[in-house]
Amino acid sequence: MRRPAAPQLRPGRPGSPIRVMPPATASAPAPEPAPAAPRRAPLARTGRRAVLLVGAAAAVSGAAGAGRLTGPFEDVAADHPGAEAIRWAEETGVQSALTATGYSPDAVVTRGDVAEALHRLAGAPPVGLGGLPLLFTDLGEDPARVSAVLWLHGRGALWGDADMRVRPDEPATRDCTAMMLTALLRPALAGVGVTWDAAAEVSLLQAAGPGSALADLAWLEAAGMASWEPTDRAGDAAVTRADLAVSLQRADTVVTSALG
Amino acid sequence: DARPLTLWGSSSMSSEGGAAATPVAVRIHEHLALAAAPAVVHGYGVGATRSGHTLLMRGLDTPGLRRLGDPAPGTGAVPVALDSGLAPVGTLRIPGDLAGVPGMLDAGGDGWTFVPDDTARSLTDGIFRSALAGVAEGSRQVLWMGKNNILDASGVLGDTQRMWDAAADPAQDTLVLGQWPTPYDPVGSATAEAVDAVNAEQQRRYGDHFLDLAGLLTSEDGLCCPPLAPLRLLEQATTQEALAQRIVPGGLRAPDDIHLNGWGNLAVSWSIVRRMRELRWL
């Protein structure tokens, strides 16, 4: 597994070092913390994640689903590459098991599933559904899914198609999942001065043209959140429950590290 | 810290044209309300207004009002004139007080009128103060003002700067939206040059707190932003023609060509939300 490049902390931002640190190589040690970094009261892991993603409406209570079954699951071998992430996803409630004994790691997730997982990653902040105007044409009736989709849209991370449908029941592709996750995390992390430079991918991105998801895929790889290898950027590949668990656990680790 | 958000400006800020082209109407303030929840979003975009009207609404200008006649029977509306000379426009109505008498300053009809909340109260000439100043207190603000008087570039810049300076924390509390070129603003025209000049100066003054909407809506990258990507605008010849003319493509313009349609408003909403998240407003 590639170690993520160390984030660049912009001078003048909270927590930034006096010098902008260069991206680390795979074998380089982590940079020393900035001597002038502001003091922060330690937050629970969930609280830090929620503060980053939810802002004023931070949910600092414990993660949903605490105390649920944590495996092992009959369909997840101990040496499964996503075993640890699956256990994390179950324990935190970000993506719970489908049955008491099975996790269905190879099941394909839908766009709505991804939205709900991201919403739970942020601590499932409430969304007032009453009085909202019609923003999309296919939200459906499930309150949890509607809340997740609208919350993600409110964060600028989920948009409809040319008919303003969000298509929550369609399979999630690697492209759309990357775009949602990047759109959710990248501005928030940039707001605390944490960025990653995907400059090494510039030629690839330029060849791909504007609007390509490659930029988001590259950013996730640079940030250490991708659940795929850099050589396997098949954007239309389906995303499995195991893939999603891995990406979100890595995202959680990155966010926690970024907030110190 | 769910600080309120106040939107100031003219018809674009009120999303005029937003019902066109999209299956559902797209109003910027509704999308921002979803993004900012539970913080309250106040929308004070009023069509036809100039930057000076925004200052009046915000309570930064407090003109003297002179009564021009008797109250109208039934409504109690008193025709008035503003000593600032600011002309009435559109459907502008501003709650406030005239020499301490609460009421509504109304630009509808043939001229300014002031309608006291209690029509039994007599009015005297005096200073008008907008009640919206109280709404603005402690609020973050998004400014999209001055397109209707863009040829007065120094006036637009000055009025925007006064709005900026009036915020509780001027360097942090304001997001200024840039103007975008319509077909009536062809390259080389006075309005195009004014739009460019105002945008450039505001970019210089406000940095990350300025949003270059002209760049968003007239660039290949901007036209492929997530809300617009499904439209495949770059594959359309009309889009390429518009880009060559450095104007916003027709696919994003309302039928009147001077406002954005639902897709244009969606792109603006996306851009605002992304910047707000980078500024840690959300």
Short mmCIF file of all heavy atoms in Angstrom, two decimals, chain A residues 13 51-57 127 132-135 137 150 153-156 159-164 183-185 187-188 190-192 210-211, chain B residues 1-3 22-26 30-31 34-35 37-38 208 220-221 224 226-227 230-231 234 263 266 269-270 273-274 277-280 282:
data_model
loop_
_atom_site.label_atom_id
_atom_site.label_comp_id
_atom_site.label_asym_id
_atom_site.label_seq_id
_atom_site.Cartn_x
_atom_site.Cartn_y
_atom_site.Cartn_z
N ARG A 13 -2.00 29.63 7.45
CA ARG A 13 -3.21 28.94 7.85
C ARG A 13 -2.98 28.30 9.21
O ARG A 13 -1.86 27.99 9.58
CB ARG A 13 -3.55 27.85 6.84
CG ARG A 13 -3.91 28.40 5.48
CD ARG A 13 -5.28 28.99 5.51
NE ARG A 13 -5.66 29.50 4.20
CZ ARG A 13 -6.91 29.71 3.85
NH1 ARG A 13 -7.87 29.46 4.67
NH2 ARG A 13 -7.21 30.17 2.65
N VAL A 51 -16.60 17.96 12.75
CA VAL A 51 -16.31 19.39 12.69
C VAL A 51 -15.83 19.76 11.31
O VAL A 51 -16.22 20.76 10.73
CB VAL A 51 -15.25 19.77 13.75
CG1 VAL A 51 -14.71 21.17 13.47
CG2 VAL A 51 -15.84 19.72 15.13
N LEU A 52 -15.01 18.94 10.71
CA LEU A 52 -14.49 19.26 9.39
C LEU A 52 -15.58 19.25 8.36
O LEU A 52 -15.63 20.10 7.48
CB LEU A 52 -13.41 18.25 9.01
CG LEU A 52 -12.75 18.53 7.65
CD1 LEU A 52 -11.84 19.73 7.73
CD2 LEU A 52 -11.98 17.31 7.17
N LEU A 53 -16.47 18.28 8.45
CA LEU A 53 -17.44 18.08 7.38
C LEU A 53 -18.74 18.82 7.61
O LEU A 53 -19.47 19.07 6.66
CB LEU A 53 -17.73 16.58 7.22
CG LEU A 53 -16.53 15.74 6.82
CD1 LEU A 53 -16.92 14.28 6.71
CD2 LEU A 53 -15.96 16.21 5.50
N VAL A 54 -19.04 19.11 8.86
CA VAL A 54 -20.35 19.68 9.14
C VAL A 54 -20.26 21.13 9.54
O VAL A 54 -21.21 21.87 9.42
CB VAL A 54 -21.06 18.85 10.25
CG1 VAL A 54 -22.47 19.36 10.49
CG2 VAL A 54 -21.10 17.40 9.84
N GLY A 55 -19.10 21.55 10.03
CA GLY A 55 -18.91 22.95 10.34
C GLY A 55 -19.77 23.37 11.50
O GLY A 55 -19.74 22.79 12.58
N ALA A 56 -20.64 24.36 11.27
CA ALA A 56 -21.42 24.92 12.35
C ALA A 56 -22.34 23.92 12.99
O ALA A 56 -22.70 24.03 14.13
CB ALA A 56 -22.23 26.12 11.83
N ALA A 57 -22.75 22.92 12.25
CA ALA A 57 -23.69 21.94 12.78
C ALA A 57 -22.96 20.70 13.21
O ALA A 57 -23.46 19.60 13.07
CB ALA A 57 -24.75 21.61 11.73
N VAL A 127 -31.10 16.89 8.70
CA VAL A 127 -31.49 17.75 7.57
C VAL A 127 -32.98 18.01 7.71
O VAL A 127 -33.77 17.07 7.70
CB VAL A 127 -31.19 17.07 6.23
CG1 VAL A 127 -31.68 17.95 5.07
CG2 VAL A 127 -29.70 16.80 6.08
N LEU A 132 -38.67 22.20 2.46
CA LEU A 132 -37.64 22.29 1.43
C LEU A 132 -38.30 22.32 0.05
O LEU A 132 -39.22 21.55 -0.20
CB LEU A 132 -36.71 21.08 1.49
CG LEU A 132 -35.47 21.18 2.39
CD1 LEU A 132 -34.68 19.89 2.29
CD2 LEU A 132 -34.62 22.38 2.04
N PRO A 133 -37.81 23.15 -0.84
CA PRO A 133 -38.35 23.12 -2.20
C PRO A 133 -37.88 21.87 -2.93
O PRO A 133 -36.99 21.17 -2.47
CB PRO A 133 -37.76 24.38 -2.84
CG PRO A 133 -36.48 24.59 -2.11
CD PRO A 133 -36.74 24.15 -0.70
N LEU A 134 -38.50 21.58 -4.07
CA LEU A 134 -38.10 20.42 -4.86
C LEU A 134 -36.77 20.73 -5.54
O LEU A 134 -36.69 21.63 -6.37
CB LEU A 134 -39.19 20.13 -5.89
CG LEU A 134 -38.99 18.87 -6.74
CD1 LEU A 134 -39.01 17.63 -5.86
CD2 LEU A 134 -40.09 18.78 -7.79
N LEU A 135 -35.75 20.00 -5.15
CA LEU A 135 -34.43 20.27 -5.72
C LEU A 135 -34.02 19.23 -6.74
O LEU A 135 -33.21 19.51 -7.63
CB LEU A 135 -33.38 20.32 -4.60
CG LEU A 135 -33.58 21.41 -3.52
CD1 LEU A 135 -32.48 21.33 -2.48
CD2 LEU A 135 -33.61 22.79 -4.16
N THR A 137 -35.58 15.45 -8.94
CA THR A 137 -36.85 14.85 -9.38
C THR A 137 -37.01 13.40 -9.00
O THR A 137 -38.03 12.80 -9.29
CB THR A 137 -36.97 14.99 -10.91
OG1 THR A 137 -35.86 14.34 -11.53
CG2 THR A 137 -36.99 16.46 -11.34
N LEU A 150 -29.60 15.03 0.19
CA LEU A 150 -29.71 16.49 0.26
C LEU A 150 -28.55 17.09 1.05
O LEU A 150 -28.04 18.16 0.71
CB LEU A 150 -31.05 16.88 0.90
CG LEU A 150 -32.27 16.62 0.04
CD1 LEU A 150 -33.54 17.01 0.79
CD2 LEU A 150 -32.20 17.38 -1.28
N HIS A 153 -25.66 17.09 -1.25
CA HIS A 153 -25.84 18.15 -2.25
C HIS A 153 -25.55 19.51 -1.63
O HIS A 153 -24.91 20.36 -2.25
CB HIS A 153 -27.26 18.11 -2.81
CG HIS A 153 -27.57 19.30 -3.68
ND1 HIS A 153 -27.01 19.49 -4.92
CD2 HIS A 153 -28.37 20.37 -3.46
CE1 HIS A 153 -27.46 20.61 -5.44
NE2 HIS A 153 -28.28 21.17 -4.58
N GLY A 154 -26.03 19.70 -0.41
CA GLY A 154 -25.78 20.96 0.26
C GLY A 154 -24.30 21.23 0.47
O GLY A 154 -23.88 22.38 0.57
N ARG A 155 -23.53 20.17 0.54
CA ARG A 155 -22.08 20.30 0.67
C ARG A 155 -21.41 20.44 -0.69
O ARG A 155 -20.19 20.50 -0.78
CB ARG A 155 -21.50 19.09 1.41
CG ARG A 155 -21.73 19.13 2.92
CD ARG A 155 -20.86 20.18 3.55
NE ARG A 155 -21.14 20.47 4.93
CZ ARG A 155 -22.12 21.26 5.37
NH1 ARG A 155 -22.98 21.77 4.54
NH2 ARG A 155 -22.25 21.53 6.65
N GLY A 156 -22.22 20.45 -1.76
CA GLY A 156 -21.66 20.58 -3.10
C GLY A 156 -21.03 19.32 -3.62
O GLY A 156 -20.19 19.36 -4.52
N TRP A 159 -24.66 15.97 -7.39
CA TRP A 159 -25.45 16.74 -8.35
C TRP A 159 -26.24 15.80 -9.23
O TRP A 159 -25.91 14.64 -9.36
CB TRP A 159 -24.54 17.63 -9.19
CG TRP A 159 -23.78 18.57 -8.33
CD1 TRP A 159 -22.58 18.33 -7.72
CD2 TRP A 159 -24.20 19.86 -7.89
NE1 TRP A 159 -22.22 19.40 -6.94
CE2 TRP A 159 -23.19 20.35 -7.04
CE3 TRP A 159 -25.32 20.65 -8.15
CZ2 TRP A 159 -23.28 21.61 -6.44
CZ3 TRP A 159 -25.39 21.90 -7.56
CH2 TRP A 159 -24.40 22.36 -6.71
N GLY A 160 -27.28 16.34 -9.83
CA GLY A 160 -28.12 15.51 -10.67
C GLY A 160 -27.61 15.46 -12.09
O GLY A 160 -26.59 16.05 -12.44
N ASP A 161 -28.36 14.76 -12.94
CA ASP A 161 -28.02 14.68 -14.34
C ASP A 161 -28.76 15.79 -15.10
O ASP A 161 -29.27 16.73 -14.50
CB ASP A 161 -28.35 13.29 -14.90
CG ASP A 161 -29.83 12.93 -14.77
OD1 ASP A 161 -30.66 13.82 -14.51
OD2 ASP A 161 -30.14 11.74 -14.94
N ALA A 162 -28.83 15.65 -16.41
CA ALA A 162 -29.47 16.70 -17.22
C ALA A 162 -30.96 16.82 -16.95
O ALA A 162 -31.58 17.81 -17.32
CB ALA A 162 -29.21 16.44 -18.69
N ASP A 163 -31.54 15.81 -16.32
CA ASP A 163 -32.95 15.88 -15.92
C ASP A 163 -33.08 16.14 -14.42
O ASP A 163 -34.17 15.95 -13.86
CB ASP A 163 -33.65 14.56 -16.27
CG ASP A 163 -33.69 14.32 -17.77
OD1 ASP A 163 -33.99 15.28 -18.50
OD2 ASP A 163 -33.40 13.18 -18.19
N MET A 164 -31.99 16.52 -13.81
CA MET A 164 -31.94 16.79 -12.37
C MET A 164 -32.39 15.57 -11.57
O MET A 164 -33.13 15.69 -10.58
CB MET A 164 -32.72 18.05 -11.99
CG MET A 164 -32.12 19.30 -12.63
SD MET A 164 -32.76 20.85 -12.01
CE MET A 164 -31.95 20.94 -10.41
N ALA A 183 -15.19 15.99 -3.59
CA ALA A 183 -15.93 17.24 -3.44
C ALA A 183 -16.29 17.50 -1.98
O ALA A 183 -16.38 18.64 -1.53
CB ALA A 183 -17.20 17.20 -4.29
N LEU A 184 -16.50 16.44 -1.23
CA LEU A 184 -16.84 16.60 0.18
C LEU A 184 -15.63 17.00 1.01
O LEU A 184 -15.71 17.89 1.86
CB LEU A 184 -17.42 15.30 0.73
CG LEU A 184 -17.87 15.31 2.19
CD1 LEU A 184 -19.02 16.29 2.39
CD2 LEU A 184 -18.29 13.92 2.65
N LEU A 185 -14.50 16.38 0.75
CA LEU A 185 -13.35 16.55 1.64
C LEU A 185 -12.37 17.64 1.19
O LEU A 185 -11.78 18.32 2.02
CB LEU A 185 -12.60 15.23 1.78
CG LEU A 185 -13.34 14.13 2.52
CD1 LEU A 185 -12.50 12.86 2.57
CD2 LEU A 185 -13.70 14.56 3.94
N PRO A 187 -12.49 20.70 -0.31
CA PRO A 187 -12.62 22.10 0.14
C PRO A 187 -12.49 22.23 1.65
O PRO A 187 -11.93 23.21 2.15
CB PRO A 187 -14.03 22.49 -0.33
CG PRO A 187 -14.41 21.49 -1.35
CD PRO A 187 -13.71 20.23 -0.98
N ALA A 188 -13.02 21.25 2.38
CA ALA A 188 -12.96 21.34 3.83
C ALA A 188 -11.51 21.26 4.31
O ALA A 188 -11.09 22.01 5.19
CB ALA A 188 -13.80 20.22 4.45
N ALA A 190 -8.87 21.97 2.50
CA ALA A 190 -8.19 23.19 2.04
C ALA A 190 -8.49 24.34 3.00
O ALA A 190 -7.64 25.20 3.25
CB ALA A 190 -8.64 23.55 0.62
N GLY A 191 -9.68 24.33 3.56
CA GLY A 191 -10.05 25.39 4.49
C GLY A 191 -9.23 25.39 5.76
O GLY A 191 -9.12 26.42 6.43
N VAL A 192 -8.66 24.23 6.09
CA VAL A 192 -7.78 24.20 7.26
C VAL A 192 -6.33 24.14 6.82
O VAL A 192 -5.44 23.77 7.60
CB VAL A 192 -8.11 23.01 8.20
CG1 VAL A 192 -9.48 23.23 8.83
CG2 VAL A 192 -8.06 21.68 7.49
N PRO A 210 -11.09 18.74 -19.54
CA PRO A 210 -11.83 19.29 -18.40
C PRO A 210 -13.04 18.43 -18.07
O PRO A 210 -13.63 17.81 -18.94
CB PRO A 210 -12.26 20.68 -18.90
CG PRO A 210 -12.24 20.58 -20.38
CD PRO A 210 -11.16 19.61 -20.72
N GLY A 211 -13.40 18.41 -16.81
CA GLY A 211 -14.56 17.65 -16.38
C GLY A 211 -14.28 16.19 -16.11
O GLY A 211 -15.15 15.47 -15.63
N ASP B 1 -21.67 27.72 16.16
CA ASP B 1 -21.60 29.06 15.57
C ASP B 1 -22.32 29.07 14.22
O ASP B 1 -21.71 29.19 13.18
CB ASP B 1 -20.13 29.46 15.39
CG ASP B 1 -19.95 30.81 14.73
OD1 ASP B 1 -20.89 31.61 14.81
OD2 ASP B 1 -18.91 31.04 14.11
N ALA B 2 -23.64 28.93 14.23
CA ALA B 2 -24.42 28.92 12.98
C ALA B 2 -24.78 30.34 12.63
O ALA B 2 -25.92 30.77 12.77
CB ALA B 2 -25.66 28.05 13.16
N ARG B 3 -23.80 31.10 12.17
CA ARG B 3 -24.05 32.50 11.87
C ARG B 3 -24.96 32.65 10.67
O ARG B 3 -24.84 31.91 9.69
CB ARG B 3 -22.73 33.22 11.62
CG ARG B 3 -21.86 33.36 12.85
CD ARG B 3 -20.56 34.04 12.53
NE ARG B 3 -20.79 35.41 12.07
CZ ARG B 3 -19.83 36.17 11.53
NH1 ARG B 3 -18.62 35.68 11.37
NH2 ARG B 3 -20.09 37.40 11.15
N THR B 22 -34.35 24.25 -16.58
CA THR B 22 -34.19 23.09 -15.70
C THR B 22 -35.56 22.49 -15.38
O THR B 22 -36.56 23.19 -15.36
CB THR B 22 -33.51 23.49 -14.39
OG1 THR B 22 -34.00 24.77 -13.97
CG2 THR B 22 -32.00 23.60 -14.56
N PRO B 23 -35.61 21.19 -15.11
CA PRO B 23 -36.89 20.55 -14.78
C PRO B 23 -37.54 21.15 -13.55
O PRO B 23 -38.77 21.14 -13.42
CB PRO B 23 -36.50 19.09 -14.54
CG PRO B 23 -35.22 18.91 -15.29
CD PRO B 23 -34.51 20.21 -15.23
N VAL B 24 -36.72 21.61 -12.60
CA VAL B 24 -37.25 22.32 -11.44
C VAL B 24 -36.53 23.66 -11.36
O VAL B 24 -35.38 23.79 -11.79
CB VAL B 24 -37.06 21.53 -10.13
CG1 VAL B 24 -37.82 20.22 -10.20
CG2 VAL B 24 -35.60 21.27 -9.85
N ALA B 25 -37.21 24.66 -10.84
CA ALA B 25 -36.61 25.99 -10.73
C ALA B 25 -35.41 25.93 -9.80
O ALA B 25 -35.42 25.21 -8.79
CB ALA B 25 -37.62 26.99 -10.20
N VAL B 26 -34.38 26.64 -10.13
CA VAL B 26 -33.18 26.68 -9.31
C VAL B 26 -33.00 28.10 -8.78
O VAL B 26 -32.76 29.04 -9.55
CB VAL B 26 -31.93 26.26 -10.10
CG1 VAL B 26 -30.68 26.37 -9.23
CG2 VAL B 26 -32.08 24.84 -10.62
N GLU B 30 -32.18 29.16 -2.15
CA GLU B 30 -32.70 27.89 -1.62
C GLU B 30 -31.58 26.87 -1.47
O GLU B 30 -31.52 26.13 -0.49
CB GLU B 30 -33.81 27.37 -2.54
CG GLU B 30 -35.07 28.22 -2.50
CD GLU B 30 -36.12 27.77 -3.49
OE1 GLU B 30 -35.80 26.95 -4.39
OE2 GLU B 30 -37.27 28.26 -3.39
N HIS B 31 -30.70 26.83 -2.44
CA HIS B 31 -29.58 25.90 -2.34
C HIS B 31 -28.62 26.32 -1.24
O HIS B 31 -28.04 25.48 -0.53
CB HIS B 31 -28.87 25.78 -3.70
CG HIS B 31 -29.65 25.02 -4.71
ND1 HIS B 31 -29.39 23.70 -5.02
CD2 HIS B 31 -30.73 25.37 -5.46
CE1 HIS B 31 -30.28 23.28 -5.93
NE2 HIS B 31 -31.09 24.28 -6.20
N LEU B 34 -30.01 25.29 2.13
CA LEU B 34 -29.75 23.88 2.42
C LEU B 34 -28.32 23.69 2.89
O LEU B 34 -28.04 22.98 3.85
CB LEU B 34 -30.02 23.03 1.18
CG LEU B 34 -29.70 21.54 1.29
CD1 LEU B 34 -30.61 20.88 2.33
CD2 LEU B 34 -29.86 20.86 -0.06
N ALA B 35 -27.40 24.37 2.21
CA ALA B 35 -25.98 24.22 2.56
C ALA B 35 -25.68 24.81 3.93
O ALA B 35 -24.87 24.27 4.68
CB ALA B 35 -25.11 24.89 1.49
N ALA B 37 -27.76 25.36 6.49
CA ALA B 37 -28.58 24.92 7.61
C ALA B 37 -27.71 24.32 8.73
O ALA B 37 -26.74 23.62 8.46
CB ALA B 37 -29.59 23.87 7.13
N PRO B 38 -28.03 24.64 10.01
CA PRO B 38 -29.24 25.33 10.48
C PRO B 38 -29.16 26.84 10.49
O PRO B 38 -30.08 27.51 10.97
CB PRO B 38 -29.35 24.81 11.91
CG PRO B 38 -27.94 24.63 12.34
CD PRO B 38 -27.21 24.13 11.11
N ASP B 208 -9.41 35.67 -1.96
CA ASP B 208 -10.24 34.48 -1.82
C ASP B 208 -11.70 34.80 -1.54
O ASP B 208 -12.55 33.92 -1.62
CB ASP B 208 -9.71 33.60 -0.68
CG ASP B 208 -8.41 32.93 -1.03
OD1 ASP B 208 -8.05 32.92 -2.22
OD2 ASP B 208 -7.74 32.41 -0.12
N GLU B 220 -13.64 26.57 -20.25
CA GLU B 220 -13.92 25.15 -20.47
C GLU B 220 -14.01 24.41 -19.14
O GLU B 220 -14.90 23.58 -18.94
CB GLU B 220 -12.84 24.54 -21.36
CG GLU B 220 -12.91 25.03 -22.80
CD GLU B 220 -12.12 24.16 -23.76
OE1 GLU B 220 -11.35 23.31 -23.29
OE2 GLU B 220 -12.26 24.36 -24.99
N ASP B 221 -13.11 24.71 -18.23
CA ASP B 221 -13.15 24.04 -16.92
C ASP B 221 -14.45 24.36 -16.20
O ASP B 221 -15.09 23.50 -15.61
CB ASP B 221 -11.96 24.48 -16.06
CG ASP B 221 -10.71 23.68 -16.38
OD1 ASP B 221 -10.84 22.66 -17.07
OD2 ASP B 221 -9.62 24.08 -15.94
N CYS B 224 -17.53 22.61 -17.33
CA CYS B 224 -17.53 21.18 -17.00
C CYS B 224 -17.62 20.94 -15.50
O CYS B 224 -17.39 19.82 -15.04
CB CYS B 224 -16.27 20.51 -17.53
SG CYS B 224 -16.20 20.45 -19.32
N PRO B 226 -19.19 20.12 -11.87
CA PRO B 226 -20.10 18.99 -11.63
C PRO B 226 -21.57 19.24 -11.97
O PRO B 226 -22.20 18.38 -12.58
CB PRO B 226 -19.88 18.71 -10.14
CG PRO B 226 -18.47 19.08 -9.90
CD PRO B 226 -18.23 20.29 -10.77
N PRO B 227 -22.17 20.37 -11.59
CA PRO B 227 -23.58 20.52 -11.94
C PRO B 227 -23.83 20.68 -13.43
O PRO B 227 -24.93 20.39 -13.91
CB PRO B 227 -24.02 21.77 -11.18
CG PRO B 227 -22.78 22.48 -10.84
CD PRO B 227 -21.71 21.47 -10.72
N PRO B 230 -23.30 17.15 -16.97
CA PRO B 230 -24.24 16.34 -17.76
C PRO B 230 -24.73 17.05 -19.03
O PRO B 230 -25.23 16.39 -19.94
CB PRO B 230 -25.41 16.12 -16.80
CG PRO B 230 -24.84 16.30 -15.44
CD PRO B 230 -23.80 17.36 -15.60
N LEU B 231 -24.59 18.36 -19.10
CA LEU B 231 -25.11 19.09 -20.25
C LEU B 231 -24.18 18.98 -21.46
O LEU B 231 -24.59 19.28 -22.58
CB LEU B 231 -25.32 20.58 -19.90
CG LEU B 231 -26.26 20.87 -18.72
CD1 LEU B 231 -26.39 22.38 -18.54
CD2 LEU B 231 -27.63 20.24 -18.93
N LEU B 234 -19.62 21.81 -23.91
CA LEU B 234 -18.50 22.05 -24.82
C LEU B 234 -18.68 21.36 -26.17
O LEU B 234 -18.01 21.71 -27.14
CB LEU B 234 -17.19 21.59 -24.17
CG LEU B 234 -16.75 22.37 -22.93
CD1 LEU B 234 -15.42 21.84 -22.42
CD2 LEU B 234 -16.65 23.86 -23.23
N TRP B 263 -29.72 26.29 -14.92
CA TRP B 263 -28.39 25.68 -14.97
C TRP B 263 -27.30 26.67 -14.57
O TRP B 263 -26.38 26.34 -13.83
CB TRP B 263 -28.10 25.14 -16.38
CG TRP B 263 -28.99 23.99 -16.76
CD1 TRP B 263 -29.93 23.96 -17.75
CD2 TRP B 263 -29.05 22.70 -16.13
NE1 TRP B 263 -30.56 22.74 -17.77
CE2 TRP B 263 -30.04 21.95 -16.80
CE3 TRP B 263 -28.35 22.10 -15.08
CZ2 TRP B 263 -30.36 20.64 -16.45
CZ3 TRP B 263 -28.67 20.79 -14.72
CH2 TRP B 263 -29.65 20.08 -15.41
N LEU B 266 -27.42 27.01 -10.94
CA LEU B 266 -26.88 25.82 -10.27
C LEU B 266 -25.35 25.90 -10.22
O LEU B 266 -24.73 25.56 -9.20
CB LEU B 266 -27.34 24.57 -11.00
CG LEU B 266 -27.48 23.28 -10.20
CD1 LEU B 266 -28.43 23.46 -9.03
CD2 LEU B 266 -27.96 22.14 -11.09
N SER B 269 -24.40 28.40 -7.60
CA SER B 269 -24.58 27.81 -6.26
C SER B 269 -23.41 26.90 -5.92
O SER B 269 -22.88 26.94 -4.81
CB SER B 269 -25.89 27.02 -6.20
OG SER B 269 -27.01 27.84 -6.41
N TRP B 270 -23.03 26.06 -6.87
CA TRP B 270 -21.90 25.15 -6.65
C TRP B 270 -20.65 25.92 -6.29
O TRP B 270 -19.93 25.58 -5.35
CB TRP B 270 -21.67 24.31 -7.91
CG TRP B 270 -20.39 23.53 -7.90
CD1 TRP B 270 -20.13 22.36 -7.26
CD2 TRP B 270 -19.17 23.90 -8.57
NE1 TRP B 270 -18.82 21.97 -7.50
CE2 TRP B 270 -18.22 22.88 -8.30
CE3 TRP B 270 -18.80 24.97 -9.39
CZ2 TRP B 270 -16.92 22.92 -8.81
CZ3 TRP B 270 -17.51 25.00 -9.90
CH2 TRP B 270 -16.59 23.98 -9.60
N VAL B 273 -20.90 27.53 -2.76
CA VAL B 273 -20.78 26.55 -1.68
C VAL B 273 -19.34 26.09 -1.55
O VAL B 273 -18.80 25.97 -0.44
CB VAL B 273 -21.74 25.37 -1.92
CG1 VAL B 273 -21.40 24.20 -0.98
CG2 VAL B 273 -23.17 25.79 -1.72
N ARG B 274 -18.71 25.82 -2.68
CA ARG B 274 -17.32 25.34 -2.60
C ARG B 274 -16.43 26.40 -1.95
O ARG B 274 -15.60 26.07 -1.08
CB ARG B 274 -16.81 25.00 -3.99
CG ARG B 274 -15.42 24.34 -3.98
CD ARG B 274 -15.01 23.89 -5.34
NE ARG B 274 -14.77 25.00 -6.25
CZ ARG B 274 -14.03 24.93 -7.36
NH1 ARG B 274 -13.45 23.79 -7.67
NH2 ARG B 274 -13.89 25.97 -8.14
N ARG B 277 -17.02 26.65 1.78
CA ARG B 277 -16.41 25.55 2.53
C ARG B 277 -14.91 25.81 2.67
O ARG B 277 -14.31 25.53 3.72
CB ARG B 277 -16.69 24.22 1.86
CG ARG B 277 -18.17 23.88 1.86
CD ARG B 277 -18.41 22.46 1.43
NE ARG B 277 -17.90 21.54 2.41
CZ ARG B 277 -17.42 20.34 2.12
NH1 ARG B 277 -17.39 19.92 0.87
NH2 ARG B 277 -16.99 19.56 3.07
N GLU B 278 -14.30 26.35 1.63
CA GLU B 278 -12.87 26.67 1.72
C GLU B 278 -12.61 27.79 2.72
O GLU B 278 -11.56 27.82 3.37
CB GLU B 278 -12.34 27.06 0.33
CG GLU B 278 -12.30 25.90 -0.65
CD GLU B 278 -12.02 26.34 -2.08
OE1 GLU B 278 -12.12 27.56 -2.35
OE2 GLU B 278 -11.73 25.48 -2.92
N LEU B 279 -13.58 28.69 2.84
CA LEU B 279 -13.45 29.78 3.80
C LEU B 279 -13.88 29.37 5.20
O LEU B 279 -13.85 30.16 6.13
CB LEU B 279 -14.30 30.97 3.34
CG LEU B 279 -13.88 31.65 2.04
CD1 LEU B 279 -14.87 32.74 1.67
CD2 LEU B 279 -12.48 32.23 2.15
N ARG B 280 -14.35 28.11 5.31
CA ARG B 280 -14.83 27.56 6.58
C ARG B 280 -16.07 28.28 7.09
O ARG B 280 -16.30 28.36 8.30
CB ARG B 280 -13.71 27.56 7.64
CG ARG B 280 -12.48 26.79 7.20
CD ARG B 280 -11.83 26.08 8.33
NE ARG B 280 -12.65 24.99 8.81
CZ ARG B 280 -12.49 24.42 10.00
NH1 ARG B 280 -11.58 24.84 10.82
NH2 ARG B 280 -13.28 23.43 10.37
N LEU B 282 -18.93 27.05 6.08
CA LEU B 282 -19.81 25.89 6.19
C LEU B 282 -19.02 24.75 6.82
O LEU B 282 -17.83 24.58 6.55
CB LEU B 282 -20.32 25.47 4.81
CG LEU B 282 -21.07 26.51 4.00
CD1 LEU B 282 -21.47 25.93 2.65
CD2 LEU B 282 -22.30 26.98 4.76
#
